[in-house]
Amino acid sequence: MKKLLSSLMMVSAMFTFASCLKSTDDNTTYYDDTAVTAFKLGTVNQYKTTKAKDGVTDSTYKVSYSASSYTFYIDQLQRVIYNPDSLPYGTDATKIVCTLTTKNGGTAVITLKNQAGEDSLAYYSSTDSVDFSSPRKVRVYSNSNAAYRDYTVRVNVHQQTGEEMSWRSTTFATLSTVGARKMVYNASELYLFGVKDGQTVVFRQNGTAMEQLAPTFGADAYKSAVALGGYLYVLNGGSVMRSADGSTWQQMGSDASLTQLVGAGSAKLYALTADGIKASADNGATWAAESLDDDAANLPTDNVSFVCMTAKANAQTNNLILVGQRGDKTVIWRKVEENATGAQSQPWAFYTQDDYNKLALPFLANLQVMGYDDGLIALGGDFSTFYESKDQGITWIATDDMALTSAFGLAASPFAMVADSNNYMHISKAGSTAVWLGRLARLGWATNQEAFTE
């Protein structure tokens, strides 16, 4: 009985399925509108160049990488599809597999060249490679075939590795009699403090001119020129002076123990004294001694540089790096500056010199250090070599990427060095009328917004 019931149920199901197949109802909906809604690249090839084993000739090799993380914008008004962040230099754009998504499942065709060099249309396939070395036309048909929309696809590839460094100079006749100098970048303007006729004079760059401003200070005041919160500061005979434009100055405070202003964090000024470091949280009006984790005899006395680097994990925390020379040694100190409410003050930590660190910063005549490219760079001696540190001054590597042109004059001399908000380095030697500008190519590339809050 159970077997008979089972057989009857199976026969009934077969008849029901057959009746469904014979149905003449058509529920498919066709649409006239169409668009490309997404575009993404797959794995692409890249050709890289390196030095061969002989260290002289170049050797080229191929690697592959996934380009799926490169966002493509779709401008529906202009009907253009493009990647704002260019693919790396050396990417082979002649053979790229892409994924193209259309609205309502519309059909896409791509304009290609036939054997006669004429334009022809080919159906898009997510498995076929396409030559995107030049702009490519894509046409998308609606699934009703009643309408279509044309797009231009541009796959942008960097034409530089990004490590190229180009230098150019501007001559300012007003600097011809200025000796030792220091440059400060403040509120989008470049200032140069230098010694002229035994006094510190102040210049402000105005386009192609270096304008000398009226104020003068003591001969050593130029060493103390720093910027904080849109203001310039100098130490002049124990008095802390402040200016918003380099022309009009106001005394903010005085402290006879200060020997040199060295720099600023987010909200504090820092200065060297004969036996330590002091800080001011009220624009130089009052000063308090900072704690050190080592002997003050290890603090720098010459060629002092100060760099403030905002911590990547906390915008209210800075890494302060103090670099300079004492006698025949290069000395480096570091402080973690906590600016959150209730945060404790951290001491200055001395980088102990020992034989274990084989990559310590060497002693360089006229040493200058500044923040650049998410790290530190140092220059001095005969200007032949930049040194770079990515670990806040612990280790340093000589780099060829930023080499100065021979026209700069590769002979040891006091000089000034600063970077502006556009990542240009400004370098000028004592007694020279020239200010040299240089920038790593990739630091001039536009960055695109990837996170949105509204």
Side-chain angles (χ1 to χ4, degrees):
M1 184 67 181
K2 290 182 178 180
K3 290 184 178 179
L4 179 60
L5 181 61
S6 177
S7 298
L8 289 173
M9 292 177 66
M10 184 176 295
V11 171
S12 176
M14 291 176 63
F15 275 106
T16 301
F17 182 65
S19 67
C20 288
L21 291 176
K22 292 179 182 179
S23 174
T24 58
D25 293 339
D26 185 359
N27 294 321
T28 303
T29 302
Y30 294 94
Y31 297 91
D32 292 336
D33 58 334
T34 186
V36 174
T37 57
F39 186 90
K40 183 171 67 173
L41 302 184
T43 300
V44 298
N45 294 325
Q46 180 185 14
Y47 291 89
K48 295 186 175 184
T49 301
T50 188
K51 290 295 182 184
K53 291 182 179 180
D54 60 12
V56 178
T57 58
D58 290 335
S59 176
T60 302
Y61 62 98
K62 182 177 75 172
V63 298
S64 298
Y65 69 93
S66 174
S68 61
S69 62
Y70 286 82
T71 300
F72 275 77
Y73 289 178
I74 302 175
D75 186 335
Q76 299 290 359
L77 294 178
Q78 301 297 323
R79 299 184 184 183
V80 176
I81 303 170
Y82 65 98
N83 53 316
D85 186 6
S86 298
L87 301 181
Y89 175 82
T91 295
D92 182 5
T94 62
K95 297 178 181 179
I96 294 182
V97 175
C98 65
T99 300
L100 187 151
T101 305
T102 61
K103 184 177 182 180
N104 299 323
T107 301
V109 295
I110 300 177
T111 302
L112 301 174
K113 295 291 184 181
N114 60 24
Q115 293 182 344
E118 301 170 336
D119 288 342
S120 62
L121 297 178
Y123 281 106
Y124 156 76
S125 170
S126 61
T127 60
D128 293 339
S129 64
V130 180
D131 183 356
F132 284 111
S133 59
S134 59
R136 183 69 57 199
K137 294 288 185 181
V138 173
R139 175 172 292 180
V140 184
Y141 289 91
S142 64
N143 63 5
S144 67
N145 288 322
Y148 67 84
R149 176 174 286 196
D150 287 334
Y151 292 85
T152 299
V153 179
R154 295 191 179 95
V155 176
N156 297 315
V157 179
H158 279 301
Q159 302 304 303
Q160 295 176 304
T161 66
E163 302 306 318
E164 295 86 357
M165 189 82 176
S166 58
W167 292 95
R168 69 178 188 271
S169 66
T170 302
T171 299
F172 302 101
T174 50
L175 299 180
S176 61
T177 57
V178 179
R181 55 192 69 182
K182 181 177 182 179
M183 290 189 290
V184 178
Y185 190 73
N186 179 62
S188 301
E189 291 191 295
L190 179 68
Y191 293 86
L192 187 148
F193 295 75
V195 179
K196 179 180 180 181
D197 299 327
Q199 294 180 312
T200 291
V201 292
V202 185
F203 295 85
R204 180 177 57 215
Q205 185 175 353
N206 182 11
T208 58
M210 192 67 77
E211 174 190 8
Q212 182 174 342
L213 306 178
T216 59
F217 303 101
D220 288 333
Y222 77 96
K223 297 179 183 179
S224 292
V226 301
L228 171 63
Y231 289 94
L232 298 165
Y233 291 83
V234 295
L235 179 66
N236 186 46
S239 296
V240 179
M241 309 296 293
R242 186 177 81 166
S243 173
D245 59 7
S247 294
T248 303
W249 293 80
Q250 175 187 3
Q251 181 174 336
M252 303 302 295
S254 63
D255 188 325
S257 70
L258 306 182
T259 58
Q260 181 180 342
L261 296 185
V262 292
S266 297
K268 292 182 181 180
L269 292 167
Y270 292 88
L272 288 172
T273 67
D275 55 3
I277 299 175
K278 283 188 173 183
S280 173
D282 53 11
N283 302 314
T286 60
W287 294 81
E290 293 274 287
S291 59
L292 310 177
D293 78 346
D294 209 299
D295 194 340
N298 290 317
L299 287 170
T301 56
D302 301 301
N303 300 319
V304 180
S305 297
F306 183 101
V307 180
C308 174
M309 304 174 67
T310 302
K312 294 182 179 180
N314 187 347
Q316 291 186 297
T317 300
N318 297 320
N319 290 301
L320 308 180
I321 312 297
L322 180 66
V323 186
Q325 294 167 333
R326 191 178 186 109
D328 59 355
K329 293 183 179 180
T330 299
V331 293
I332 302 177
W333 292 72
R334 173 177 173 264
K335 175 186 173 70
V336 177
E337 182 188 59
E338 302 277 4
N339 294 302
T341 302
Q344 294 183 341
S345 179
Q346 303 297 320
W348 284 87
F350 176 60
Y351 287 178
T352 304
Q353 300 169 333
D354 53 47
D355 294 333
Y356 293 101
N357 185 0
K358 304 298 183 183
L359 297 175
L361 181 62
F363 185 89
L364 300 170
N366 309 301
L367 173 68
Q368 294 288 304
V369 177
M370 70 178 184
Y372 195 74
D373 189 24
D374 290 329
L376 303 170
I377 60 170
L379 183 64
D382 62 2
F383 303 104
S384 62
T385 305
F386 278 92
Y387 290 85
E388 183 178 31
S389 174
K390 293 297 186 181
D391 55 11
Q392 298 170 22
I394 299 174
T395 60
W396 299 79
I397 302 294
T399 174
D400 296 328
D401 294 339
M402 305 176 194
L404 283 160
T405 173
S406 58
F408 179 81
L410 303 183
S413 169
F415 69 103
M417 179 171 71
V418 73
D420 64 26
S421 58
N422 293 315
N423 296 310
Y424 278 105
M425 298 184 202
H426 300 251
I427 303 179
S428 183
K429 292 194 294 186
S432 174
T433 59
V435 175
W436 288 81
L437 277 75
R439 181 174 67 182
L440 281 175
R442 59 182 166 78
L443 298 184
W445 295 344
T447 56
N448 300 283
Q449 186 174 0
E450 296 180 351
F452 300 85
T453 57
E454 296 182 355

